[in-house]
Amino acid sequence: MAVLPPHGTIKVGIPCLYRSQVLPFLAPLTTIRRASGLSKSLKNSKNSKTREAPTKKTKVRTDFKRDDLKNAMQFSLCDAMRYIRAFEVGRQPTSSKYELHVSLKSLKNGPVVRNRLRLSNPVDTSQRICVICPPGSQIAAAAIRAGASLVGEETVFDAVKEGRIEFKRCICHSDSLQKLSKANLGRILGPKGLMPSTKTGTVVKDVASSVRTMIGGSEYRERLGVVRMAVGQLGFTPEQMQQNIKEFMGGLKKDIALLSEKISKEIHKVVLSSTNSPGFTLNGDFKSPTSVSTRELAII
């Protein structure tokens, strides 16, 4: 016999149960739901704790990292030249260059060292120099005698605008500076580092002397705490290399001394390499007890 519902409605074929009879069957389901809800809340609380955990801040280096030279292999100048020439076998004496790399202990955001130096034994004597000055004048004649390969004003401007830049250095006379600025060549020569300016010392009055110093001269600039410059050709003798290295290091030390007292720069390491060889750290000596004679190194 079917149990009547509270409101007196009868559904045939479906037994009606009271609330007291239904709750015992649903009790296990409610406990499972509550347990799963508690586990989720515990997981979320654990994740929030792990996310809120403070992370350790790494200190940013303000200077360039340098290696320790206590256990590093170091060579004398003659030994380094001997090993470098072994890597340059079969090369022309003038095709490969000796390069000096000077690592500095310096700040990353500090000022850089930059200058131009003419060595006693020039490394590159085939530089084409352009001089912007009034054509047909005494200034142009003096520049040609000093070794300039291109002289003039409008002819130079037209050649640059057409894309014919057949020179490696450019000097401007102070009288032609106004015409140079009107020609608007900065967007062409500027990215190539050829635009004359007073800051770089390429706008001068004595053009002839500037051309003489540029022929055979070399530029160096600090990049990422390292100063690089070509100091010799493969056919140079050890004595010529020693003279060029001394002049370069002397000029570099003077440039460092001219900086402010608040800025500290120190020479950390000097490395000699060539076009096709690895670098060899120099120890400051000219020869070692096991070095070959300088006469043998002078012969290629």
Side-chain angles (χ1 to χ4, degrees):
M1 181 176 180
V3 181
L4 293 175
H7 300 290
T9 58
I10 301 173
K11 293 183 180 180
V12 180
I14 300 175
C16 297
L17 300 175
Y18 288 106
R19 187 177 180 183
S20 60
Q21 295 173 328
V22 174
L23 286 176
F25 297 102
L26 297 178
L29 296 174
T30 55
T31 54
I32 292 169
R33 287 179 182 176
R34 288 176 185 175
S36 62
L38 289 171
S39 62
K40 287 181 180 179
S41 61
L42 289 172
K43 286 181 181 179
N44 293 330
S45 62
K46 287 181 181 180
N47 292 332
S48 62
K49 287 181 180 179
T50 54
R51 289 174 186 172
E52 293 174 0
T55 57
K56 294 183 179 180
K57 294 182 179 179
T58 57
K59 293 183 179 180
V60 180
R61 292 185 65 94
T62 57
D63 57 346
F64 294 101
K65 187 177 180 180
R66 297 293 178 234
D67 52 352
D68 191 4
L69 300 178
K70 290 182 179 179
N71 298 323
M73 293 184 64
Q74 299 183 359
F75 304 86
S76 64
L77 178 61
C78 291
D79 291 340
M81 290 179 64
R82 180 187 177 186
Y83 297 137
I84 288 172
R85 288 189 176 183
F87 286 92
E88 298 287 353
V89 173
R91 305 279 180 178
Q92 293 292 330
T94 57
S95 62
S96 299
K97 305 289 188 299
Y98 287 108
E99 296 178 356
L100 205 67
H101 310 258
V102 182
S103 299
L104 302 177
K105 291 182 179 179
S106 174
L107 297 175
K108 290 183 178 180
N109 297 327
V112 298
V113 179
R114 179 181 179 181
N115 206 342
R116 184 174 182 83
L117 181 66
R118 179 180 171 83
L119 302 173
S120 299
N121 305 289
V123 180
D124 188 7
T125 57
S126 61
Q127 289 191 8
R128 292 178 60 84
I129 300 174
C130 171
V131 177
I132 300 174
C133 63
S137 61
Q138 294 182 356
I139 300 170
I144 292 172
R145 287 195 299 269
S149 57
L150 184 62
V151 176
E153 289 177 343
E154 297 297 333
T155 55
V156 176
F157 301 156
D158 294 339
V160 171
K161 290 177 181 179
E162 292 174 2
R164 293 184 288 109
I165 304 175
E166 300 174 349
F167 51 86
K168 295 182 178 180
R169 299 286 300 171
C170 187
I171 305 172
C172 180
H173 192 265
S174 56
D175 296 341
S176 302
L177 183 60
Q178 189 174 1
K179 291 184 178 180
L180 177 63
S181 59
K182 287 182 179 180
N184 195 17
L185 300 180
R187 57 186 178 83
I188 303 174
L189 298 179
K192 299 180 181 295
L194 298 175
M195 186 65 184
S197 65
T198 53
K199 291 182 180 180
T200 57
T202 49
V203 177
V204 295
K205 291 184 177 180
D206 191 358
V207 173
S209 62
S210 299
V211 171
R212 292 191 192 95
T213 55
M214 282 189 176
I215 294 177
S218 301
E219 286 186 351
Y220 60 87
R221 180 176 179 175
E222 179 186 352
R223 295 182 186 276
L224 300 177
V226 181
V227 182
R228 299 175 179 85
M229 195 180 81
V231 293
Q233 297 179 3
L234 192 64
F236 280 12
T237 62
E239 289 78 12
Q240 290 176 319
M241 286 290 297
Q242 184 186 31
Q243 188 177 9
N244 282 0
I245 291 173
K246 282 184 177 180
E247 292 176 0
F248 171 58
M249 295 301 296
L252 181 60
K253 289 178 181 178
K254 287 181 181 179
D255 293 336
I256 294 174
L258 291 175
L259 297 175
S260 175
E261 295 180 355
K262 298 180 181 179
I263 301 166
S264 62
K265 284 184 183 288
E266 297 179 5
I267 296 174
H268 174 66
K269 182 173 64 173
V270 181
V271 179
L272 184 67
S273 67
S274 70
T275 308
N276 300 288
S277 76
F280 295 88
T281 305
L282 301 180
N283 57 10
D285 297 334
F286 179 67
K287 291 179 65 177
S288 67
T290 58
S291 298
V292 297
S293 63
T294 56
R295 293 181 180 179
E296 294 182 14
L297 289 174
I299 300 172
I300 297 180

